[in-house]
Amino acid sequence: MPHALVVDDEPDSAETMAMLIASEGFTVATAGSLRDARRQLALQEPDIVLLDLMLPDGNGMELLNEAKGMSNTDVVLMTGQASLDTSIQALRLGAADYLVKPMSLKQLKGVLSRVTKPSLLKAESSDLLATLESEGHFGALWGRSAPMRRVYEQVQRVAGTAVTVFITGESGTGKEVVARTVHDLSRRRGKPFLAVNCGAISPHLIESEIFGHEKGSFTGADRQHQGFFERASGGTLFLDEITEMPLDLQVKLLRVLETGTFMRVGSTQTLETDVRMIAATNRSPLQAVASGKLREDLLYRLNVFPIHLPALRQRADDVPLLADHFVQQISEREGTPKRFSALALQRLSRYDWPGNVRELRNVVYRSYVMALDSMIDDECLPQSPDGEVSGASIPTSPVAVEGGAPAITVWVGTPLAEIERQVTLATLEYLGRHKEKTAATLGISLKTLYNRLKEYQAAGDGDTRPADLEDRSWAPS
């Protein structure tokens, strides 16, 4: 049976906790001081230590340094207040989690269910590092460059803790992949990972989607709906493009982070949540605060452990590795193996990739289709006017589209933004306003297409229909 040690100088609290832990299948010992706790640690190495910070003969942090050296022991701090300082302190000292007193049975069960030997987590990280050297990837993250190795180090450091993570980086750099890797290396990996794009949900629906709603709470609410916090219970909730969340909702999100509780829309009942939060943005966080897109207090609460992803142009050495990875993916799916020539890989490496890894993936898929045999040479790569590879080259004269699609005329000197608008809306119309097909044809993500349509509608573009924004069949569930 797993063994737990409760270190708490309040006898009643320690005894109650010991009974609850025992009911979950643990053997339990209690200690009311640092001295007693050290004696218990010497008698039997516990699987988990629940450690109060305030003890009669010293601070619980002293014991944490001793206990965390035990390869099979998780340390969970107990505190009377879930402050930002507590989160940072727990991270710095290597605590697996922390509980706010008085704690609920649900919170305690959640922590006990995630007990994992630190040695096991270290072994998994070591295996990933070995794979990095031999195959070039760290889990689902690809690249051996120095900037990416720093990212892997940060992921290893934070994955085993319970603190919030704030990921920044340009669009297409792989922020969601990093978030999922943190989850997969954490004690929560057996529970759901739920990714939510805050910019892809209507402002009128986002509160209901995140917190859920009660039947009859608003027009059309014909049944009770569980929000993301309930559906991700015990796991990880990834909020992408957090700066697109309305400010009034950011206040409620901050309250969840501070108290661990929330209410569904239309309800007066407070619900507890047991979710690890990871947020991301492609904006500069400080600029987002200055422009009123992100609350400063929420930034400080989310930014306990920041991870910044480098742009692809800042790790050009990884381009050939990524290109080969993507072409292997599509080769396996299509059943026809193909590979890049050395010259094609050189040209791919010279491009700046403003769309980052996402743009590279789209170019690889397009080049695979263009290649007539097993070798993808540089002639298969899309061309821009300066002769360099381009992920979305746009003709400057009328061109007949394959399959009989109508052509559009773009005159020399037309602003690029206008060219983009015309091509996007013409493609959307030709494909029956089917957004998935439109995004695939244009070589962009659904999120990028949705954001473009929002901009066109805000500018009063008559070719953009409200239905284009209301159809959420492709949005994250």
Side-chain angles (χ1 to χ4, degrees), residues 81-326:
Q81 185 176 5
S83 66
L84 181 59
D85 289 341
T86 302
S87 298
I88 296 174
Q89 204 170 25
L91 168 64
R92 184 181 298 120
L93 295 174
D97 211 331
Y98 67 92
L99 289 169
V100 181
K101 299 171 66 176
M103 67 195 67
S104 68
L105 178 59
K106 181 178 180 180
Q107 289 176 316
L108 182 58
K109 284 185 174 181
V111 167
L112 295 176
S113 70
R114 294 191 292 272
V115 172
T116 305
K117 295 180 179 180
S119 58
L120 177 60
L121 296 177
K122 291 178 181 178
E124 292 176 351
S125 291
S126 297
D127 289 342
L128 289 179
L129 289 175
T131 304
L132 172 64
E133 299 304 330
S134 61
E135 301 179 17
H137 67 96
F138 183 87
L141 294 165
W142 286 76
R144 293 193 183 100
S145 62
M148 288 306 294
R149 288 179 184 272
R150 286 193 291 271
V151 171
Y152 304 152
E153 291 174 3
Q154 292 175 306
V155 168
Q156 283 181 284
R157 176 74 186 278
V158 77
T161 72
V163 302
T164 56
V165 179
F166 197 25
I167 306 172
T168 57
E170 296 178 8
S171 292
T173 50
K175 295 186 287 296
E176 183 175 337
V177 182
V178 171
R180 183 174 287 278
T181 304
V182 170
H183 172 78
D184 290 343
L185 286 176
S186 76
R187 293 170 171 84
R188 295 177 179 266
R189 59 181 177 269
K191 297 294 184 178
F193 173 86
L194 189 58
V196 181
N197 180 4
C198 297
I201 305 176
S202 166
H204 304 294
L205 297 174
I206 189 169
E207 181 176 3
S208 169
E209 290 297 323
I210 290 179
F211 298 117
H213 64 251
E214 298 291 348
K215 180 179 179 180
S217 56
F218 54 85
T219 302
D222 54 358
R223 59 182 177 83
Q224 186 187 77
H225 172 68
Q226 286 191 339
F228 297 131
F229 272 106
E230 289 181 86
R231 288 151 56 189
S233 181
T236 302
L237 179 60
F238 174 56
L239 296 179
D240 196 8
E241 306 304 344
I242 189 70
T243 55
E244 301 304 313
M245 179 180 288
L247 290 177
D248 58 340
L249 194 57
Q250 291 184 26
V251 176
K252 297 182 179 181
L253 179 61
L254 178 62
R255 177 171 176 78
V256 177
L257 290 168
E258 295 289 356
T259 67
T261 62
F262 68 97
M263 289 189 293
R264 298 192 192 106
V265 176
S267 174
T268 58
Q269 180 183 1
T270 299
L271 301 175
E272 292 182 351
T273 182
D274 178 23
V275 171
R276 201 255 185 90
M277 182 81 68
I278 301 179
T281 180
N282 58 11
R283 298 172 178 260
S284 161
L286 293 179
Q287 289 180 6
V289 170
S291 62
K293 298 289 291 184
L294 180 65
R295 288 181 59 93
E296 186 175 22
D297 48 5
L298 180 59
L299 169 61
Y300 292 141
R301 190 62 183 81
L302 291 172
N303 204 33
V304 177
F305 194 94
I307 297 178
H308 180 72
L309 286 184
L312 187 54
R313 61 184 174 276
Q314 296 170 329
R315 56 181 188 111
D317 292 346
D318 289 334
V319 170
L321 180 65
L322 285 162
D324 284 337
H325 166 60
F326 290 136

Side-chain angles (χ1 to χ4, degrees), residues 315-353:
R315 56 181 188 111
D317 292 346
D318 289 334
V319 170
L321 180 65
L322 285 162
D324 284 337
H325 166 60
F326 290 136
V327 82
Q328 286 179 20
Q329 277 189 331
I330 191 171
S331 293
E332 291 174 4
R333 186 165 65 247
E334 298 297 329
T336 303
K338 297 183 181 182
R339 61 187 179 87
F340 281 102
S341 68
L343 181 58
L345 289 177
Q346 289 177 9
R347 292 194 57 231
L348 289 173
S349 299
R350 291 199 302 266
Y351 185 56
D352 277 346
W353 300 110

Side-chain angles (χ1 to χ4, degrees), residues 362 391-392 423-425 427-428 437-444 449 452:
N362 291 339
V423 173
T424 299
L425 293 178
T427 306
L428 179 66
K437 291 181 180 179
T438 301
T441 301
L442 294 174
I444 60 177
L449 176 62
R452 286 184 188 177

